[in-house]
Amino acid sequence: MASACATSHPPSDPNAVVIDGVSKHFGSVQALQGLNARIRFGRLTGLVGPDGAGKTTLMRILTGLLAPNSGHATVAGFDVVDDNDAIHAATGYMPQRFGLYEDLSVMENMRLYAQLRGMDADRNVELFSELLDFTRLAPFTQRLAGKLSGGMKQKLGLACALMARPAVLLLDEPSVGVDPVSRQDLWRMVQALTDEGMAVVWSTAYLDEAERCDSVLLLNEGRLAYDGSPGELTGRLAGRSFRLEQVGDERRTVLAEALDLSSVGDGVVQGAGVRIVLRPGAGTGQITALADRIAAQLRAVPARFEDAFIDLLGGGPGGTSALAEGLPPVQLESDIAVSCRDLTKRFGDFTATDNVSFEVRKGEIFGLLGPNGAGKSTTFKMLCGLLKPTSGEAHVVGLDLRRATGAVKGQLGYMAQKFSLYGLLSVRQNLEFSAGVYGLDGATQRARIEEMIEIFGLQPWLSSAPDSLPLGYKQRLALACAVMHRPPVLFLDEPTSGVDPITRREFWTHINGLARKGVTVMVTTHFMDEAEYCDRVAMLYRARLIALDTPDALKRGAASDARPDPTMEDAFIHLVEAEDLADVARSEVAA
């Protein structure tokens, strides 16, 4: 791949990017404040921080799309303001919403981007071939971009960003909404590029990704909060990370109690246990007493970069959900809230969901995992009554979706993967519209809307259009619209995709609180640590259900001598690879 991606002459200056005193404001909003940093060639640099920290603003300055109000920055030796044309040639940029033309094929998109770069597409057949081999898209050159999976779209975006052999590659959250298998492919490609000397800046909301970077820049409120290796920041938490083990069914209650302790700064459910991080200088007395009271085992565990990130920003949001506190306990006639049997959906010759069967208990958090295109969203839409199954049956709170779709919709809340918000309406109008759709009116409607505004901090945004909101607030608004009518069943399709870890903690505080009140929650996610928050996880692959068990049981199934303590991501990849081998064996038997 060297000929396709490496610069023509090796750089004499080891610094690919130099940022000196860069500030940027939009009206009264200070997006960046006196930023100073260096990014080196041949290294992968992670750019992390909460929503609104200034990550995308910095990316756009480095690509010459925005000019700083003060200070200056150079990329590959070129000033981002004075040498703007050279900056566009020296950088490859893949924004959060990459502009693929969905009605064009893979090859047509690549030819178009070559032309936009001033290249003669007909004279660059060899370059196209190398990029297609590098991204493993060669078999799909004639497929329309709109028909690609999320992971394949990102690979095509990367191929287009590499078109002009940039010296510096800027990737703004390239793995959002991408499954672990596709993420591995992206990592493989980026590692090859840095090995050849390219500087790669990877903005990410996945802190396990940041942990794999050579160095990280951590932004908070427009300022640089940390600049160094992930390991150095993680090392600051030595002796402060613990796990309460064998907690069992009470782990959400235990987590809420732990987060209310003055000595605890952060915590999450982790399989059958609870992971907690102590505040700086805090002793273990309170958590030891908690462990003794609930007869749990307290064990010190290695710190993670995510722990260090949350700690640096002051800790998590706490364990009490104001949303759940005001909710009466859910009462259902049956302990089974959601069920499906032999659920199948075909679109022409394509089978999106193939004979899927499972049951979800009242108050259970049930995770639906799988690679992009596995059938997760299709299954969700059938269970919500938004898609009619080709065959099979599904029930929600005892109602048959084949005959009672209208009645079912009032019993569930649905937060779509792509926000089900109305861009022409303001935030307040979206809340009012959703309340009306779910039959709330009069004083009840007004009270519920005010409750959502207060719980989710929407007051400053009420007159704004949803598209103008930071991502975290878009997600809060979408969740508010889904839960305002207090449904006993909640469907969340990638609810935290792209948001920062602190906002994810806030969402899961609400989800855990709702489950404790008896709300049944079905959730899809590509954050593998979030899969550990679930009671059980169903794994879909190629439209079929290939595994259904607790997170801990799925991890045990992936254990080996080489990997005695696998992660959920390891379990995910193990299941996919095992199914691929089983498919090969079935094909050989059939032959």
Side-chain angles (χ1 to χ4, degrees):
M1 195 58 210
S3 61
C5 298
T7 51
S8 301
H9 304 286
S12 56
D13 185 348
N15 291 316
V17 177
V18 177
I19 303 167
D20 281 328
V22 167
S23 295
K24 180 66 181 178
H25 62 80
F26 300 94
S28 61
V29 177
Q30 195 72 34
L32 295 174
Q33 304 183 57
L35 222 61
N36 294 286
R38 302 288 186 272
I39 295 171
R40 290 179 170 266
F41 283 107
R43 291 171 66 85
L44 175 59
T45 300
L47 186 60
V48 297
D51 292 323
K55 302 186 296 295
T56 296
T57 299
L58 178 59
M59 284 279 204
R60 291 173 67 82
I61 286 174
L62 296 181
T63 56
L65 297 174
L66 284 176
N69 295 115
S70 61
H72 70 274
T74 62
V75 178
F78 300 108
D79 188 277
V80 295
V81 176
D82 297 337
D83 306 313
N84 197 265
D85 288 342
I87 288 291
H88 293 313
T91 60
Y93 178 44
M94 185 173 158
Q96 283 184 25
R97 293 181 178 86
F98 184 69
L100 292 173
Y101 293 86
E102 297 205 341
D103 292 333
L104 298 182
S105 69
V106 167
M107 180 57 76
E108 288 168 340
N109 267 280
M110 291 181 66
R111 290 178 64 87
L112 175 60
Y113 272 85
Q115 291 165 6
L116 292 173
R117 284 285 198 166
M119 301 166 62
D120 186 337
D122 292 329
R123 294 184 179 181
N124 283 278
V125 175
E126 184 178 344
L127 171 63
F128 287 178
S129 178
E130 288 187 35
L131 287 170
L132 288 167
D133 287 343
F134 183 59
T135 55
R136 297 178 179 172
L137 289 173
F140 309 103
T141 54
Q142 300 308 309
R143 183 174 295 184
L144 295 180
K147 300 294 185 182
L148 298 175
S149 70
M152 292 171 72
K153 285 180 180 177
Q154 296 299 75
K155 292 175 188 177
L156 177 55
L158 182 59
C160 292
L162 292 170
M163 191 67 67
R165 302 180 177 90
V168 178
L169 181 63
L170 302 163
L171 306 174
D172 198 355
E173 303 201 5
S175 56
V176 166
V178 174
D179 66 78
V181 175
S182 297
R183 282 171 64 195
Q184 275 203 332
D185 272 349
L186 288 173
W187 274 102
R188 171 189 59 80
M189 291 184 278
V190 167
Q191 187 63 59
L193 296 172
T194 56
D195 287 347
E196 292 169 0
M198 186 181 292
V200 179
V201 181
W202 181 303
S203 173
T204 182
Y206 294 88
L207 292 190
D208 61 325
E209 291 183 346
E211 199 162 16
R212 296 167 65 176
C213 293
D214 298 310
S215 61
V216 293
L217 302 176
L218 198 162
L219 302 185
N220 187 36
E221 297 180 347
R223 300 182 187 276
L224 187 62
Y226 178 76
D227 179 1
S229 72
E232 181 184 338
L233 184 61
T234 304
R236 298 180 185 180
L237 261 69
R240 291 166 51 195
S241 297
F242 295 86
R243 178 178 156 98
L244 287 164
E245 299 190 327
Q246 300 170 347
V247 178
D249 293 340
E250 296 302 314
R251 58 195 179 282
R252 294 190 182 95
T253 301
V254 171
L255 173 63
E257 287 187 36
L259 289 172
D260 286 338
L261 297 175
S262 60
S263 60
V264 175
D266 185 35
V268 294
V269 169
Q270 193 175 48
V274 173
R275 182 186 180 91
I276 53 180
V277 178
L278 297 182
R279 295 189 183 278
T284 60
Q286 288 183 327
I287 58 169
T288 299
L290 174 61
D292 291 342
R293 182 166 58 80
I294 62 174
Q297 181 183 353
L298 182 66
R299 181 168 67 91
V301 293
R304 303 178 304 183
F305 182 72
E306 180 163 324
D307 300 335
F309 176 98
I310 300 288
D311 181 70
L312 186 66
L313 299 183
T320 301
S321 166
L323 178 64
E325 288 295 299
L327 193 71
V330 171
Q331 302 293 332
L332 296 179
E333 293 182 3
S334 168
D335 284 339
I336 302 301
V338 178
S339 66
C340 59
R341 187 171 65 185
D342 299 328
L343 200 61
T344 299
K345 181 63 181 178
R346 298 187 187 92
F347 298 95
D349 294 333
F350 176 70
T351 301
T353 302
D354 188 6
N355 287 299
V356 169
S357 302
F358 56 75
E359 291 182 337
V360 185
R361 296 183 293 270
K362 186 189 83 168
E364 185 174 17
I365 299 179
F366 188 89
L368 205 56
L369 303 185
N372 297 109
K376 303 183 299 297
S377 293
T378 300
T379 302
F380 253 42
K381 289 175 182 176
M382 287 191 285
L383 292 173
C384 291
L386 299 174
L387 268 181
K388 184 178 180 181
T390 304
S391 62
E393 60 184 60
H395 294 79
V396 175
V397 295
L399 298 171
D400 190 334
L401 282 169
R402 293 172 297 183
R403 290 183 283 273
T405 54
V408 167
K409 287 175 184 175
Q411 298 295 308
L412 58 84
Y414 176 52
M415 181 176 166
Q417 184 177 353
K418 294 180 179 175
F419 311 112
S420 50
L421 302 173
Y422 294 89
L424 297 179
L425 302 181
S426 68
V427 167
R428 179 179 283 281
Q429 288 169 333
N430 267 277
L431 290 168
E432 291 170 346
F433 179 79
S434 294
V437 165
Y438 286 116
L440 301 178
D441 55 20
T444 300
Q445 181 184 112
R446 290 191 295 273
R448 296 281 178 85
I449 288 174
E450 290 307 313
E451 181 185 27
M452 295 300 106
I453 291 170
E454 181 178 353
I455 288 171
F456 292 104
L458 298 174
Q459 185 66 45
W461 309 97
L462 291 179
S463 60
S464 303
D467 287 347
S468 68
L469 269 59
L471 178 60
Y473 280 96
K474 282 184 185 177
Q475 299 283 52
R476 290 180 178 97
L477 175 59
L479 181 59
C481 291
V483 301
M484 197 182 335
H485 60 298
R486 298 180 174 175
V489 178
L490 191 57
F491 290 85
L492 305 176
D493 199 357
E494 297 192 27
T496 60
S497 181
V499 302
D500 65 81
I502 292 179
T503 304
R504 289 209 304 275
R505 294 286 198 277
E506 177 192 326
F507 266 57
W508 277 95
T509 294
H510 292 312
I511 293 168
N512 286 330
L514 291 170
R516 290 170 60 196
K517 285 296 183 79
V519 175
T520 303
V521 182
M522 292 192 63
V523 60
T524 69
T525 181
H526 284 311
F527 287 97
M528 290 297 101
D529 59 333
E530 286 189 349
E532 298 212 46
Y533 306 166
C534 300
D535 296 297
R536 289 185 301 151
V537 171
M539 177 77 172
L540 292 179
Y541 183 48
R542 294 177 180 167
R544 300 195 305 269
L545 181 66
I546 63 169
L548 173 56
D549 215 325
T550 65
D552 284 349
L554 293 177
K555 288 191 294 182
R556 284 195 298 271
S560 64
D561 291 340
R563 192 174 50 205
D565 189 21
T567 64
M568 271 304 295
E569 182 155 324
D570 294 330
F572 181 107
I573 294 169
H574 169 78
L575 287 167
V576 168
E577 291 176 345
E579 185 65 16
D580 285 341
L581 289 173
D583 274 347
V584 171
R586 284 191 288 265
S587 297
E588 290 175 349
V589 169

